[in-house]
Amino acid sequence: TTQTLENQKASDLINERFGSLDPVEPTPGEGGNTRSTETEFLIITSTTSVPGDAAFEQRIDEFSAAVAAAEQEVASERENGIFKILDGDVRDYEFEVSEDGTTSLASIQIFSDEDEHIDVLTDTAEEFTAEGFEFLMLGGASVDATFTRLADEVLSTGEAIGIGVAIIILAIVLGAVIASVIPIILALVAVFTAIGMTAIIGQFMELNEFVPAIITMMGLAVGIDYSLFVLSRYREERGKGLEKQAAIEASGASAGRAVVFSGFTVVLALLGMLIMPERIFQAFGVGAIVVVFVAVFTSMTLLPAIIGILGDRVNNVRAPFILTLALFIIGVVIVSLTVGFGPEILFVSILVLVVLSVLTFIRARYGRWSFGLGQVKPYDPDKQSGIWNTITVAVMKRPYVSMTAATAFLLVLAFFFLQLEKGTSGISVLPDEEPSKQAFLRLNEQFGFGSDASTFVAIDGDVGSQPIADAITKLEQLIADDPGLNEPEVRIEPSVKLARISATAPGDPSNQAALDTIRNLRSDLIPQAFAGVPAGSYQALVGGDSAEVVDSVELTDQYLPIVFIAVLGLSFILLLVAFRSITVSIASFIMNLLSVGAAYGLVVLVFQKGFLIDLFGFQQVDQIEFWLPLFMFSILFGLSMDYHVFMLSRIKERFDETGDAEEAVAFGLRTTASIITGAALIMVAVFGGFALGDIAFFQSMGFGLGAAVLLDATVVRSLLVPSIMRILGKHAWYFPSWMEWLPNISIEGKSTSLAEPVIAESSPAPSGAGE
């Protein structure tokens, strides 16, 4: 269910009361049925003539004829041969001329039930923007179509870049081409399955056009990571000497259990979005939850099946670190200099895998050249070497200094979150080259308002009585004097006890100035106007697009603490049950909160403050999307648990074996370092791919998620975790006796090192950069 906000109450009141006074006339040729309409602005300018000139008027006539022809073309493709999006013809509407006499404006009406075909008008307008003339369309349908198209472009670009970079990272981390392809396949299966499932869910609840992008982004991130965790553990167990079937079982009992637990934690965090009585949160939450469920399910079912079929062939075609990275960098540079950095990166990655495969074939066939594809070093998890082992040991020598430095760094970044301004992206954040953005700028410049989205006040009461009538007159004057609103229009209907005062706003109705105007209208202007009128005798409700954003921001602020408490509480209980340590549970979610807070601060610092924004190529905004903090919290708190669960499970497993807390920490970080680093880089690549889009909120979302994952996998994992675990020592696993009644689900599984391994005839050691 969703909560009815003030703007919706105002709109419902007007539709209900005024609707009875304004019956819609039947549309000719439609069987007498009524059809609702919506407004689109048609803006026409010319550098060669002005409105009223013969050439200018002739061009409008030609445009009207072209629209009619385009409508007829669509109609001819339908079985009934009927299609009409424009109510009447373009020439049926009256054109208004700007004060300087250069621009002509018509408010045309399109049928709402055909607004998905707005391209009939916008495409025709683009065709007529030539030879000194400019035809621009602006309205709800055309703007929605623009955002949808850009979202689709973000989806395809982000998906291609994310997969392309992920393939190379997987190849380097796993050290084999075949192994690198398997997680990609699993992730794509999860994405397509989840999109199909949400299409069914969409029949029962309202979703929006951005849900597929959320599913793709989340599906690629968790789908690849979960498969990577399980596959890498299988290869490790094979390297220890277990037979194929035993290695599959061992990886499922350890990494597989950790994946299920991680997925459950992510879902719990995402459930917080369903608590919000707001459709956009519920839509995003449903999409993300479904794809996480599917990703976990495929990792537990399809992945073991693929491994069972391929066996040791998952290690086929080596991908040495230097050779693989060099080939990819060369390919990226060539592509960037020729066609630009974009979806073509995926083809570069595929080509790299093909080259590695060809080189492997040549080496196997002729044996004359090695190409760096020689034998791999045997895997030894007890070998105390590598950069992460060095960092961990160094940090644990000075744990208090490391903990203080890391915490201070994250808190400094988190400080900027206190300066957050929340709102939503409007027309003004569209790329400058978009016709809708150009129409907005031209309309605002020439006619003093940026869209047809008006702000209105619905006054419910005895509007014919003198006190309320005087208050309405006073409010009308106050609105007229307010620089944030244009001259108002007033309608008073005593017969239905309702009055409406409406006014358009200059500029973008979604920018911070417009939102402040709504807040001022509610908190100052209305109380001034109705001072002295008994409170119970009237109700004044503010509605409109700007009011809807203000209401959504207030609703988010209201529910944010509830969601935080619910998610943190459930996650704490889950960690407590899983690791049976009250200390680790508290420390884990404090560290996660620090990384999320730092990511919040980075988003504000870059997008709102403009810090290094030109370097990143992003667009600066006045406010951050009102839904982004809650969305990022739900996503990041869940995703960051992936690393902690995967890492802590190895630490706990080792601690249970040896009882040496310090060595267990070093072992856990050392053995999971390459996998977690690879998984984090994959998530950064996926999120970064979406940040490269032209829509500002995708940029901030992708950047925020990527930055948080990077902070979590580096600063938190390399500094905070080892320093805190070193300070706590054996107390890290403290579990009070009075809590022994809690169930023990033991996600660490059974350690294969405690059992006598069954030596296979051939047990190739896993290869990769981390070994």
Side-chain angles (χ1 to χ4, degrees), residues 121-441:
L121 294 172
T122 55
D123 289 352
T124 306
E126 285 192 45
E127 292 173 9
F128 273 73
T129 300
E131 300 175 0
F133 279 88
E134 186 178 51
F135 283 73
L136 299 170
M137 300 291 305
L138 180 67
S142 56
V143 171
D144 287 345
T146 300
F147 273 107
T148 301
R149 176 174 53 79
L150 291 175
D152 290 340
E153 292 175 3
V154 169
L155 184 61
S156 59
T157 301
E159 187 176 21
I161 293 176
I163 292 175
V165 177
I167 288 175
I168 298 301
I169 295 173
L170 286 167
I172 290 174
V173 171
L174 296 173
V177 169
I178 301 300
S180 69
V181 176
I182 295 174
I184 301 295
I185 295 174
L186 270 291
L188 291 177
V189 168
V191 169
F192 290 129
T193 304
I195 289 177
M197 292 175 66
T198 51
I200 298 173
I201 296 173
Q203 305 301 312
F204 304 97
M205 68 175 291
E206 183 180 342
L207 303 177
N208 63 39
E209 67 271 23
F210 299 123
V211 170
I214 300 299
I215 290 175
T216 302
M217 184 175 65
M218 284 293 297
L220 289 176
V222 300
I224 293 173
D225 277 10
Y226 291 165
S227 301
L228 174 60
F229 291 160
V230 176
L231 180 59
S232 62
R233 187 61 186 260
Y234 162 77
R235 297 170 77 241
E236 179 183 327
E237 298 297 344
R238 285 288 286 136
K240 291 178 180 178
L242 292 185
E243 287 186 340
K244 180 179 73 174
Q245 186 61 35
I248 292 175
E249 293 174 0
S251 61
S254 53
R257 290 165 71 109
V259 163
V260 172
F261 179 81
S262 297
F264 191 47
T265 308
V266 174
V267 169
L268 276 182
L270 292 170
L271 286 175
M273 298 181 70
L274 302 185
I275 296 175
M276 288 289 299
E278 173 71 29
R279 287 188 179 91
I280 189 171
F281 288 104
Q282 294 176 354
F284 284 2
V286 167
I289 287 172
V290 169
V291 77
V292 171
F293 263 126
V294 176
V296 172
F297 183 75
T298 54
S299 296
M300 295 298 96
T301 55
L302 184 58
L303 179 57
I306 292 176
I307 295 174
I309 294 171
L310 292 177
D312 293 334
R313 290 192 295 274
V314 298
N315 296 317
N316 284 0
V317 187
R318 282 207 64 219
F321 176 88
I322 296 177
L323 179 61
T324 305
L325 187 60
L327 289 173
F328 181 66
I329 291 175
I330 292 171
V332 169
V333 170
I334 293 173
V335 168
S336 299
L337 293 176
T338 53
V339 297
F341 189 87
E344 294 78 14
I345 300 303
L346 176 58
F347 297 104
V348 173
S349 300
I350 294 173
L351 184 60
V352 169
L353 300 190
V354 171
V355 170
L356 290 173
S357 301
V358 171
L359 293 178
T360 300
F361 172 78
I362 293 173
R363 180 177 182 273
R365 181 71 179 270
Y366 301 103
R368 297 178 183 176
W369 305 279
S370 68
F371 303 115
L373 302 171
Q375 294 296 319
V376 300
K377 297 178 181 179
Y379 175 71
D380 182 9
D382 293 318
K383 186 178 180 181
Q384 299 183 11
S385 62
I387 184 172
W388 289 109
N389 184 77
T390 303
I391 292 174
T392 301
V393 172
V395 166
M396 288 195 294
K397 285 182 179 178
R398 296 177 177 82
Y400 289 98
V401 174
S402 301
M403 182 186 68
T404 303
T407 303
F409 175 72
L410 295 175
L411 286 175
V412 167
L413 290 179
F415 168 77
F416 292 97
F417 178 61
L418 301 176
Q419 302 174 41
L420 173 71
E421 294 283 355
K422 287 189 284 187
T424 191
S425 297
I427 309 168
S428 58
V429 302
L430 288 172
D432 291 339
E433 65 272 12
E434 288 295 329
S436 294
K437 173 69 170 290
Q438 295 169 6
F440 159 73
L441 295 173

Side-chain angles (χ1 to χ4, degrees), residues 738-760:
W738 58 269
M739 299 183 73
E740 288 291 343
W741 58 272
L742 287 174
N744 184 1
I745 62 175
S746 182
I747 65 170
E748 301 86 42
K750 183 179 179 180
S751 172
T752 56
S753 63
L754 296 180
E756 191 69 31
V758 179
I759 304 300

